[in-house]
CSV table of all heavy atoms in Angstrom, one decimal:
chain,number,residue,atom,x,y,z
A,1294,PHE,N,49.3,126.0,-93.9
A,1294,PHE,CA,48.7,124.9,-94.6
A,1294,PHE,C,47.4,125.3,-95.2
A,1294,PHE,O,46.6,126.0,-94.6
A,1294,PHE,CB,48.6,123.7,-93.7
A,1294,PHE,CG,47.7,122.6,-94.2
A,1294,PHE,CD1,48.3,121.7,-95.1
A,1294,PHE,CD2,46.4,122.4,-93.8
A,1294,PHE,CE1,47.5,120.6,-95.6
A,1294,PHE,CE2,45.7,121.3,-94.2
A,1294,PHE,CZ,46.2,120.5,-95.2
A,1295,VAL,N,47.1,124.8,-96.5
A,1295,VAL,CA,45.9,125.0,-97.1
A,1295,VAL,C,45.1,123.7,-97.3
A,1295,VAL,O,44.0,123.5,-96.8
A,1295,VAL,CB,46.0,125.7,-98.5
A,1295,VAL,CG1,44.7,125.8,-99.2
A,1295,VAL,CG2,46.7,127.1,-98.3
A,1296,ALA,N,45.8,122.7,-98.0
A,1296,ALA,CA,45.1,121.5,-98.3
A,1296,ALA,C,46.2,120.4,-98.7
A,1296,ALA,O,47.3,120.8,-99.1
A,1296,ALA,CB,44.1,121.6,-99.5
A,1297,SER,N,45.8,119.2,-98.4
A,1297,SER,CA,46.8,118.1,-98.8
A,1297,SER,C,46.0,116.9,-99.3
A,1297,SER,O,44.8,116.7,-99.0
A,1297,SER,CB,47.6,117.7,-97.6
A,1297,SER,OG,46.8,117.2,-96.5
A,1298,ILE,N,46.7,116.0,-100.0
A,1298,ILE,CA,46.0,114.9,-100.6
A,1298,ILE,C,47.0,113.7,-100.6
A,1298,ILE,O,48.2,113.8,-100.8
A,1298,ILE,CB,45.6,115.2,-102.1
A,1298,ILE,CG1,44.7,114.1,-102.7
A,1298,ILE,CG2,46.7,115.5,-103.0
A,1298,ILE,CD1,43.9,114.5,-103.9
A,1299,SER,N,46.5,112.5,-100.3
A,1299,SER,CA,47.3,111.3,-100.2
A,1299,SER,C,47.7,110.8,-101.6
A,1299,SER,O,47.3,111.3,-102.6
A,1299,SER,CB,46.6,110.2,-99.5
A,1299,SER,OG,45.4,109.9,-100.1
A,1300,ARG,N,48.6,109.8,-101.6
A,1300,ARG,CA,49.2,109.3,-102.8
A,1300,ARG,C,48.1,108.9,-103.9
A,1300,ARG,O,48.3,109.2,-105.0
A,1300,ARG,CB,50.1,108.1,-102.5
A,1300,ARG,CG,51.4,108.5,-101.8
A,1300,ARG,CD,52.1,107.4,-101.1
A,1300,ARG,NE,52.2,106.2,-102.0
A,1300,ARG,CZ,52.8,105.1,-101.6
A,1300,ARG,NH1,53.4,105.1,-100.3
A,1300,ARG,NH2,52.9,104.1,-102.3
A,1301,ASN,N,47.1,108.2,-103.4
A,1301,ASN,CA,46.1,107.8,-104.4
A,1301,ASN,C,44.9,108.7,-104.4
A,1301,ASN,O,43.9,108.4,-105.1
A,1301,ASN,CB,45.7,106.3,-104.1
A,1301,ASN,CG,45.0,106.2,-102.8
A,1301,ASN,OD1,44.8,107.2,-102.0
A,1301,ASN,ND2,44.6,105.0,-102.4
A,1302,GLY,N,44.9,109.8,-103.7
A,1302,GLY,CA,43.8,110.7,-103.7
A,1302,GLY,C,42.7,110.3,-102.8
A,1302,GLY,O,41.7,111.1,-102.7
A,1303,GLY,N,42.8,109.3,-102.0
A,1303,GLY,CA,41.7,108.8,-101.2
A,1303,GLY,C,41.5,109.6,-99.9
A,1303,GLY,O,40.5,109.5,-99.3
A,1304,LEU,N,42.5,110.3,-99.5
A,1304,LEU,CA,42.5,111.1,-98.3
A,1304,LEU,C,42.8,112.6,-98.6
A,1304,LEU,O,43.8,112.8,-99.3
A,1304,LEU,CB,43.4,110.6,-97.2
A,1304,LEU,CG,43.5,111.4,-95.9
A,1304,LEU,CD1,42.2,111.4,-95.2
A,1304,LEU,CD2,44.7,110.8,-95.1
A,1305,THR,N,42.0,113.5,-98.1
A,1305,THR,CA,42.3,114.9,-98.3
A,1305,THR,C,42.1,115.6,-96.9
A,1305,THR,O,41.3,115.1,-96.1
A,1305,THR,CB,41.4,115.6,-99.3
A,1305,THR,OG1,40.0,115.4,-98.9
A,1305,THR,CG2,41.6,115.0,-100.7
A,1306,ASN,N,42.9,116.6,-96.7
A,1306,ASN,CA,42.8,117.4,-95.5
A,1306,ASN,C,42.7,118.9,-95.9
A,1306,ASN,O,43.3,119.3,-96.9
A,1306,ASN,CB,44.0,117.2,-94.6
A,1306,ASN,CG,44.0,115.9,-93.9
A,1306,ASN,OD1,43.0,115.4,-93.4
A,1306,ASN,ND2,45.2,115.2,-94.0
A,1307,TYR,N,42.0,119.7,-95.2
A,1307,TYR,CA,41.8,121.1,-95.5
A,1307,TYR,C,42.0,121.9,-94.2
A,1307,TYR,O,41.6,121.5,-93.1
A,1307,TYR,CB,40.5,121.4,-96.1
A,1307,TYR,CG,40.2,120.8,-97.4
A,1307,TYR,CD1,39.6,119.5,-97.5
A,1307,TYR,CD2,40.6,121.4,-98.6
A,1307,TYR,CE1,39.4,118.9,-98.8
A,1307,TYR,CE2,40.4,120.9,-99.8
A,1307,TYR,CZ,39.8,119.6,-99.9
A,1307,TYR,OH,39.6,119.0,-101.1
A,1308,ALA,N,42.6,123.1,-94.4
A,1308,ALA,CA,42.5,124.1,-93.3
A,1308,ALA,C,41.1,124.5,-93.0
A,1308,ALA,O,40.3,124.6,-94.0
A,1308,ALA,CB,43.4,125.3,-93.6
A,1309,ASP,N,40.8,124.8,-91.8
A,1309,ASP,CA,39.4,125.2,-91.5
A,1309,ASP,C,38.9,126.4,-92.3
A,1309,ASP,O,37.8,126.5,-92.7
A,1309,ASP,CB,39.3,125.5,-90.0
A,1309,ASP,CG,39.3,124.2,-89.1
A,1309,ASP,OD1,39.1,123.1,-89.7
A,1309,ASP,OD2,39.6,124.4,-87.9
A,1310,SER,N,39.9,127.3,-92.6
A,1310,SER,CA,39.6,128.5,-93.2
A,1310,SER,C,39.1,128.4,-94.7
A,1310,SER,O,38.5,129.3,-95.3
A,1310,SER,CB,40.7,129.5,-93.2
A,1310,SER,OG,41.9,128.9,-93.8
A,1311,VAL,N,39.4,127.2,-95.3
A,1311,VAL,CA,39.1,127.0,-96.7
A,1311,VAL,C,38.1,125.8,-96.9
A,1311,VAL,O,37.7,125.6,-98.0
A,1311,VAL,CB,40.4,126.7,-97.5
A,1311,VAL,CG1,41.4,127.8,-97.3
A,1311,VAL,CG2,41.0,125.4,-97.3
A,1312,LYS,N,37.7,125.1,-95.9
A,1312,LYS,CA,36.8,124.0,-96.0
A,1312,LYS,C,35.5,124.5,-96.6
A,1312,LYS,O,34.9,125.5,-96.2
A,1312,LYS,CB,36.5,123.4,-94.6
A,1312,LYS,CG,37.6,122.4,-94.2
A,1312,LYS,CD,37.2,121.8,-92.8
A,1312,LYS,CE,38.3,120.9,-92.3
A,1312,LYS,NZ,38.0,120.4,-91.0
A,1313,GLY,N,35.0,123.7,-97.6
A,1313,GLY,CA,33.8,124.0,-98.3
A,1313,GLY,C,33.9,125.0,-99.4
A,1313,GLY,O,33.0,125.2,-100.2
A,1314,ARG,N,35.1,125.6,-99.5
A,1314,ARG,CA,35.4,126.6,-100.6
A,1314,ARG,C,36.5,126.1,-101.6
A,1314,ARG,O,36.4,126.3,-102.8
A,1314,ARG,CB,35.8,127.9,-100.1
A,1314,ARG,CG,34.8,128.6,-99.1
A,1314,ARG,CD,35.2,130.0,-98.8
A,1314,ARG,NE,36.4,130.0,-98.0
A,1314,ARG,CZ,37.5,130.8,-98.4
A,1314,ARG,NH1,37.5,131.5,-99.6
A,1314,ARG,NH2,38.6,130.8,-97.7
A,1315,PHE,N,37.5,125.4,-101.0
A,1315,PHE,CA,38.6,124.9,-101.9
A,1315,PHE,C,38.5,123.4,-102.0
A,1315,PHE,O,38.0,122.7,-101.1
A,1315,PHE,CB,39.9,125.2,-101.2
A,1315,PHE,CG,40.3,126.7,-101.2
A,1315,PHE,CD1,39.4,127.7,-101.5
A,1315,PHE,CD2,41.5,127.1,-100.8
A,1315,PHE,CE1,39.7,129.0,-101.5
A,1315,PHE,CE2,41.9,128.4,-100.8
A,1315,PHE,CZ,41.0,129.4,-101.1
A,1316,THR,N,39.0,122.9,-103.2
A,1316,THR,CA,39.0,121.5,-103.4
A,1316,THR,C,40.4,121.1,-104.0
A,1316,THR,O,40.8,121.7,-105.0
A,1316,THR,CB,37.9,121.0,-104.4
A,1316,THR,OG1,36.6,121.4,-103.8
A,1316,THR,CG2,38.0,119.5,-104.6
A,1317,ILE,N,41.1,120.2,-103.4
A,1317,ILE,CA,42.3,119.7,-103.9
A,1317,ILE,C,42.1,118.4,-104.7
A,1317,ILE,O,41.3,117.6,-104.3
A,1317,ILE,CB,43.4,119.5,-102.7
A,1317,ILE,CG1,44.8,119.2,-103.3
A,1317,ILE,CG2,42.9,118.4,-101.8
A,1317,ILE,CD1,45.8,119.2,-102.2
A,1318,SER,N,42.8,118.2,-105.8
A,1318,SER,CA,42.7,117.0,-106.5
A,1318,SER,C,44.1,116.8,-107.2
A,1318,SER,O,44.9,117.7,-107.3
A,1318,SER,CB,41.6,117.1,-107.6
A,1318,SER,OG,41.8,118.2,-108.5
A,1319,ARG,N,44.3,115.6,-107.7
A,1319,ARG,CA,45.5,115.2,-108.4
A,1319,ARG,C,45.2,114.3,-109.6
A,1319,ARG,O,44.2,113.5,-109.5
A,1319,ARG,CB,46.5,114.6,-107.5
A,1319,ARG,CG,46.0,113.2,-106.9
A,1319,ARG,CD,47.0,112.8,-105.8
A,1319,ARG,NE,48.3,112.4,-106.3
A,1319,ARG,CZ,49.4,112.2,-105.6
A,1319,ARG,NH1,49.3,112.3,-104.3
A,1319,ARG,NH2,50.6,111.9,-106.2
A,1320,ASP,N,46.0,114.4,-110.6
A,1320,ASP,CA,45.9,113.5,-111.8
A,1320,ASP,C,47.3,112.8,-111.9
A,1320,ASP,O,48.2,113.4,-112.3
A,1320,ASP,CB,45.6,114.3,-113.0
A,1320,ASP,CG,45.4,113.4,-114.2
A,1320,ASP,OD1,46.0,112.3,-114.3
A,1320,ASP,OD2,44.8,113.9,-115.2
A,1321,ASN,N,47.3,111.6,-111.4
A,1321,ASN,CA,48.6,110.9,-111.3
A,1321,ASN,C,49.1,110.5,-112.7
A,1321,ASN,O,50.4,110.5,-112.9
A,1321,ASN,CB,48.5,109.6,-110.5
A,1321,ASN,CG,48.5,109.9,-109.0
A,1321,ASN,OD1,48.6,111.1,-108.6
A,1321,ASN,ND2,48.3,108.9,-108.2
A,1322,ALA,N,48.3,110.3,-113.7
A,1322,ALA,CA,48.7,110.0,-115.0
A,1322,ALA,C,49.4,111.2,-115.7
A,1322,ALA,O,50.4,111.0,-116.4
A,1322,ALA,CB,47.5,109.6,-115.9
A,1323,GLU,N,48.9,112.4,-115.4
A,1323,GLU,CA,49.5,113.6,-115.9
A,1323,GLU,C,50.5,114.3,-115.0
A,1323,GLU,O,51.1,115.3,-115.3
A,1323,GLU,CB,48.4,114.6,-116.2
A,1323,GLU,CG,47.4,114.1,-117.3
A,1323,GLU,CD,48.1,113.9,-118.6
A,1323,GLU,OE1,49.0,114.7,-119.0
A,1323,GLU,OE2,47.7,113.0,-119.4
A,1324,LYS,N,50.6,113.7,-113.8
A,1324,LYS,CA,51.6,114.3,-112.8
A,1324,LYS,C,51.2,115.7,-112.5
A,1324,LYS,O,52.1,116.6,-112.5
A,1324,LYS,CB,53.0,114.1,-113.2
A,1324,LYS,CG,53.4,112.7,-113.3
A,1324,LYS,CD,54.9,112.5,-113.7
A,1324,LYS,CE,55.1,112.8,-115.2
A,1324,LYS,NZ,56.4,112.5,-115.6
A,1325,MET,N,49.9,115.9,-112.2
A,1325,MET,CA,49.4,117.3,-111.9
A,1325,MET,C,48.7,117.3,-110.6
A,1325,MET,O,48.0,116.4,-110.2
A,1325,MET,CB,48.5,117.7,-113.0
A,1325,MET,CG,49.1,117.9,-114.4
A,1325,MET,SD,50.2,119.3,-114.5
A,1325,MET,CE,49.1,120.7,-114.2
A,1326,LEU,N,48.8,118.5,-109.9
A,1326,LEU,CA,48.1,118.7,-108.7
A,1326,LEU,C,47.2,120.0,-109.0
A,1326,LEU,O,47.7,120.9,-109.6
A,1326,LEU,CB,49.0,119.0,-107.5
A,1326,LEU,CG,48.4,119.4,-106.2
A,1326,LEU,CD1,47.6,118.3,-105.6
A,1326,LEU,CD2,49.5,119.9,-105.3
A,1327,TYR,N,46.0,120.0,-108.4
A,1327,TYR,CA,45.1,121.1,-108.6
A,1327,TYR,C,44.6,121.7,-107.3
A,1327,TYR,O,44.5,120.9,-106.3
A,1327,TYR,CB,44.0,120.7,-109.5
A,1327,TYR,CG,44.4,120.2,-110.9
A,1327,TYR,CD1,44.4,118.8,-111.1
A,1327,TYR,CD2,44.8,121.1,-111.9
A,1327,TYR,CE1,44.8,118.3,-112.4
A,1327,TYR,CE2,45.2,120.6,-113.1
A,1327,TYR,CZ,45.2,119.2,-113.3
A,1327,TYR,OH,45.6,118.7,-114.6
A,1328,LEU,N,44.2,122.9,-107.3
A,1328,LEU,CA,43.5,123.5,-106.2
A,1328,LEU,C,42.4,124.4,-106.8
A,1328,LEU,O,42.7,125.4,-107.4
A,1328,LEU,CB,44.4,124.3,-105.3
A,1328,LEU,CG,43.7,124.9,-104.0
A,1328,LEU,CD1,43.3,123.7,-103.1
A,1328,LEU,CD2,44.6,125.9,-103.3
A,1329,GLN,N,41.1,123.9,-106.7
A,1329,GLN,CA,40.0,124.7,-107.1
A,1329,GLN,C,39.6,125.6,-106.0
A,1329,GLN,O,39.3,125.1,-104.9
A,1329,GLN,CB,38.8,123.8,-107.6
A,1329,GLN,CG,37.6,124.6,-108.0
A,1329,GLN,CD,37.8,125.4,-109.2
A,1329,GLN,OE1,38.4,124.9,-110.2
A,1329,GLN,NE2,37.3,126.6,-109.2
A,1330,MET,N,39.6,126.9,-106.2
A,1330,MET,CA,39.3,127.9,-105.1
A,1330,MET,C,38.0,128.6,-105.5
A,1330,MET,O,38.0,129.4,-106.5
A,1330,MET,CB,40.5,128.8,-104.9
A,1330,MET,CG,41.8,128.1,-104.6
A,1330,MET,SD,43.1,129.2,-104.2
A,1330,MET,CE,43.3,130.1,-105.7
Side-chain angles (χ1 to χ4, degrees):
F1294 169 76
V1295 175
S1297 61
I1298 188 166
S1299 60
R1300 287 162 50 178
N1301 63 1
L1304 174 66
T1305 57
N1306 290 313
Y1307 294 93
D1309 288 343
S1310 59
V1311 307
K1312 279 181 183 176
R1314 301 188 298 123
F1315 291 11
T1316 302
I1317 189 171
S1318 61
R1319 63 189 293 168
D1320 183 335
N1321 285 356
E1323 298 295 327
K1324 294 180 286 186
M1325 293 292 295
L1326 175 69
Y1327 302 102
L1328 185 69
Q1329 177 67 42
M1330 305 186 295

